[in-house]
Structure formats: C-alpha cells, structure tokens
C-alpha cells in the first residue's frame, strides 16, 4: 500500500506505525508560481522552477530534483495493491489533489485500487487547519476510513486541474458554477470553496487588492503591528487557502516593492526580501498614505504599483490587467 500525503509533518506521523505500507510526501506549492496542465514538461518545469526561485527563494535545482524524485515514485504505483491519497479542505491541498487525480486519470490502474481520505474537520478540534494538527493516535482513527475513487472523481479532479491551469480563469469560474452540486455530492466536497477562494485572490475590481492583500492591509489599519502577527491573523482568517510562510512573505514583499509601497517594515528597504531584515518577524509594520488610499478605494493598487503574479495558469503583469474579481457581485470581470 502506498500513502500519498500533503506534507512531511503528516508523513512522519504516519510512519510511526499509523499505517502499513510506504509513504510518499508530495512536495509542491501549486497556489504559487505558474501552473500548466502538464507541469512535468521540461520547459514548463524549468519556467516554474525559475519563478519559484525568484519569488520564494526555492532553489531551482533542488525543486527540479525533488519533482523528478517524487514523480519517479509516483510512476511506481503499479507495485501497490492500493494507493491512498491523504488530503484536507484548503486550496493548498485541493490543488494538489486535483493534479494527482488528473495524473491518475491518464494512467491504466490495472489491479491498483485508488482511495481518498479528505477531511475538513476533526472531532474535538475547534479550529481545524489540517492533518498536521493531529497526533499519531488521532490519525490512527482515520486509518481505513478512506473511500474508493472511481472514474467520476478522476474526471472531476482532472476537469478542476485543467481549468485551474488555464490562462482563462473563466473556465474555472464556469466549472465551479455548473458543477457546484455535483462536487458537493462527490468525494470532492471541499473543491468548490477552495477554488472559489483562489479566484478571490485576483485583484479586486474596487481597488486592485486581492483577498490576501486586502486582509493584510486592513489588519495593519486595525492595529496589527508586526509581520508575525500579520501572518497568524491572515492565515487564520483565510485558512481556506492553506497558505504557508513562504507564500505569505511573497505577498508582503510585493506590497513593499517599488517606488510606491503600500506597507513599510522598519529596517526594510523597498523591494527587499523581508526575511533579510534582522528579526523581521517582530519589526513594526506601518501603512503608507498610499496604502490607506488604496484600502479606501480612492487609488488602485494595480495602477500605481503594478503586479507580476501567477494565479494558476493566469499571469497578470504590469499596470493594466485582463482579469479582476468583483467583490460585490462575487464574480470575474474581464477588461
């Protein structure tokens, strides 16, 4: 039996006698960087590696090596009678799950059974963020509760991945709208909320701030004063995204960049990687005049600061963008 899990914390716990068989930790951050229908292509992988190195300081060579190693292990699935996918409700996991379902849809499973364990809560835990919160004993109670994955789930997962990887976000928005009930009734009940939250990451029609930037700047205006406090508050408020620290510091750096920063961290110059500021986690964070104007809607973040960001397969770059999200109407707007 092969267990594919979403992170080393969960993987290490499963190896403590929680499950029988081998454990493969799928190390990816699909909410960040460029996404392609086939991310394993040579050119696609090289481009993704370059962007992740530039924006999150993940060494390109290490990233490529890790991908090649985990994909080699994935291709060995035929050695196992059963492959179990362990995932949770947030975008970090749901994008990973969608990719793996897309990949398995293109394989001949033969005698190998494919199963899924995907949860969004756990008894006794008031704020459930993920499987990594659970003790080995708690994970043990989940062992064996997974459900078999059929062609229907493989097709849904593949559709989600292809729409997520498309440079046209309307594909994903339309898919979510048309298949909301179908997703809810399937083994993928968390996909709708996770990928809807992804679309809300696009720049707002009102002020150019995506949901992460909006939540961050509003928190600073409300009195949150350090990067550490911001990280905790924003990732808690937007737990449906499942953001890690590397993803979030990328957002902070973008808000500080250029000649028109929206945020300032004491001791940090515009455009500097925040992690290079000594003790940056506890440094004072302040909102600039421009930051206040953008938050109020009198200035537009994209117009004054620009953007260079990937949202799945969509790349928004420059001071004018082709797609935005309308906070009030709750949908995409094309320009």
């Amino acid at each position: 039996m092969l267990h594919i899990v979403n992170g080393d914390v969960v993987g290490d716990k499963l190896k403590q006698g929680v499950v029988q068989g081998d454990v493969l930790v799928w190390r990816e951050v699909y909410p960040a960087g460029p996404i392609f229908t086939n991310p394993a292509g040579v050119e696609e992988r090289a481009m993704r590696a370059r962007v992740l190195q530039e924006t999150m300081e993940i060494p390109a060579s290490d990233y490529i090596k890790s991908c090649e190693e985990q994909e080699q292990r994935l291709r060995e699935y035929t050695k196992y009678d059963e492959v179990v996918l362990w995932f949770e409700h947030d975008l970090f996991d749901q994008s990973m799950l969608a990719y793996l379902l897309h990949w398995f849809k293109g394989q001949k499973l033969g005698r190998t059974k494919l199963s899924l364990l995907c949860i969004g809560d756990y008894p006794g835990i008031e704020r459930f963020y993920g499987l990594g919160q659970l003790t080995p004993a708690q994970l043990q109670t989940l062992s064996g509760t997974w459900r078999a994955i059929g062609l229907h789930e493989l097709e849904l997962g593949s559709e989600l991945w292809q729409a997520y990887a498309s440079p046209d976000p309307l594909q994903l928005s339309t898919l979510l709208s048309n298949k909301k009930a179908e997703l809810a009734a399937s083994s993928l009940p968390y996909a709708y909320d996770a990928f809807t939250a992804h679309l809300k990451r696009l720049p707002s029609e009102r002020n150019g701030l995506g949901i992460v930037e909006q939540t961050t700047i509003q928190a600073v205006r409300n009195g949150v004063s350090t990067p550490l406090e911001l990280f905790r508050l924003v990732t808690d408020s937007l737990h449906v995204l499942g953001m890690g620290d590397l993803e979030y510091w990328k957002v902070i750096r973008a808000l500080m960049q250029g000649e028109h920063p929206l945020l300032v961290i004491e001791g940090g110059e515009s455009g500097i990687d925040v992690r290079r500021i000594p003790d940056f986690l506890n440094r004072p964070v302040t909102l600039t005049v421009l930051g206040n104007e953008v938050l109020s809607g009198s200035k537009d973040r994209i117009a004054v600061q620009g953007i260079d960001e990937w949202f799945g397969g969509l790349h928004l770059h420059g001071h004018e963008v082709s797609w935005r999200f309308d906070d009030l109407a709750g949908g995409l707007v094309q320009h």
Side-chain angles (χ1 to χ4, degrees):
M1 183 177 288
L2 176 66
H3 300 271
I4 303 179
V5 303
N6 66 348
D8 288 283
V9 172
V10 180
D12 290 343
K13 291 177 181 178
L14 291 187
K15 293 174 184 177
Q16 297 177 31
V18 172
V19 295
Q20 299 297 315
D22 297 331
V23 175
L24 169 59
V25 176
W26 198 257
R27 297 182 179 92
E28 256 293 6
V29 191
Y30 292 130
I35 295 298
F36 307 96
T37 301
N38 176 24
V42 175
E43 293 183 6
E44 291 86 349
R45 173 166 293 156
M47 182 177 179
R48 181 162 168 76
R50 176 179 58 79
V51 173
L52 292 180
Q53 178 170 278
E54 291 173 353
T55 59
M56 296 169 65
E57 291 200 333
I58 298 174
S61 58
D62 292 351
Y63 171 77
I64 291 173
K65 180 181 179 182
S66 175
C67 286
E68 291 174 346
E69 290 175 349
Q70 68 185 12
E71 284 164 7
Q72 176 57 40
R73 290 197 62 191
L74 186 64
R75 288 192 294 269
E76 296 171 356
Y77 73 92
T78 54
K79 298 193 309 183
Y80 301 94
D81 294 327
E82 184 173 10
V83 176
V84 182
L85 309 178
W86 293 67
F87 290 101
E88 56 214 35
H89 62 287
D90 55 47
L91 178 66
F92 179 85
D93 275 43
Q94 290 296 301
S95 57
M96 203 181 298
L97 175 58
Y99 171 70
L100 290 170
L101 292 175
H102 170 72
W103 188 88
F104 274 111
K105 181 179 179 292
Q107 312 305 312
K108 294 181 179 180
L109 292 176
R111 65 176 181 84
T112 303
K113 179 182 178 182
L114 193 60
S115 299
L116 171 64
L117 185 149
C118 189
I119 63 174
D121 55 48
Y122 188 87
I125 296 182
E126 182 178 351
R127 292 189 176 182
F128 179 78
Y129 298 107
L131 293 165
Q133 281 179 281
L134 305 184
T135 65
Q138 289 171 323
L139 289 170
Q140 181 70 59
T141 67
L142 298 175
S143 182
T145 65
W146 41 78
R147 298 170 54 185
I149 295 175
L151 181 59
H152 183 230
E153 281 79 14
L154 291 175
E155 290 176 341
L156 277 176
S158 181
E159 286 184 72
L160 282 166
W161 178 257
Q162 292 179 75
Y164 183 61
S166 171
D168 179 4
L170 192 59
Q171 288 191 25
L172 180 60
S173 178
T174 302
L175 174 65
L176 294 173
S177 178
N178 291 343
K179 299 207 171 183
K180 182 177 181 179
E182 189 175 343
L183 287 166
S186 74
S187 297
L188 308 174
Y190 307 110
Y192 180 86
D193 286 345
F195 285 104
T196 297
H198 157 69
L199 293 174
K200 293 179 181 179
R201 298 192 301 156
L202 270 66
S204 166
E205 178 75 355
R206 184 176 65 87
N207 60 10
L209 297 173
I211 191 172
V212 181
E213 294 83 6
Q214 176 78 26
T215 305
T216 296
I217 293 181
Q218 185 65 61
V220 177
R221 177 183 277 184
N222 291 346
V224 176
S225 59
T226 69
L228 180 59
E229 291 173 346
L230 276 174
F231 174 70
R232 289 172 174 169
L233 183 144
V234 175
T235 55
D236 185 51
S237 299
L238 303 177
H239 61 86
V240 68
L241 295 177
M243 276 188 302
D245 56 352
L246 292 181
E247 287 181 79
Y248 188 62
W249 303 141
K250 177 169 67 74
V251 171
I252 292 292
R253 184 172 62 178
L255 291 172
M256 295 171 56
Q257 73 180 2
E259 299 176 358
H260 308 288
L262 307 188
L263 290 181
V264 173
I265 296 180
E266 183 182 282
E269 300 174 359
S270 177
I272 192 173
D273 187 332
V274 292
R275 292 167 297 170
R276 299 191 188 283
I277 304 172
D279 192 34
F280 85 93
L281 287 175
N282 298 303
R283 288 292 183 108
V285 178
T286 55
L287 202 56
T288 64
V289 172
L290 178 60
N292 270 298
E293 291 175 332
V294 169
L295 188 60
S296 67
S298 62
K299 294 287 181 67
D300 184 83
R301 183 261 177 118
I302 303 300
V304 297
Q305 197 180 43
I307 189 174
D308 185 1
E309 186 60 77
W310 287 86
F311 301 90
L314 171 67
H315 185 204
L316 297 183
H317 181 265
H319 292 266
E320 295 182 4
V321 296
S322 54
W323 290 98
R324 293 193 181 222
F325 190 85
D326 188 329
D327 306 69
L328 298 177
L332 294 172
V333 177
Q334 187 175 20
H335 289 263

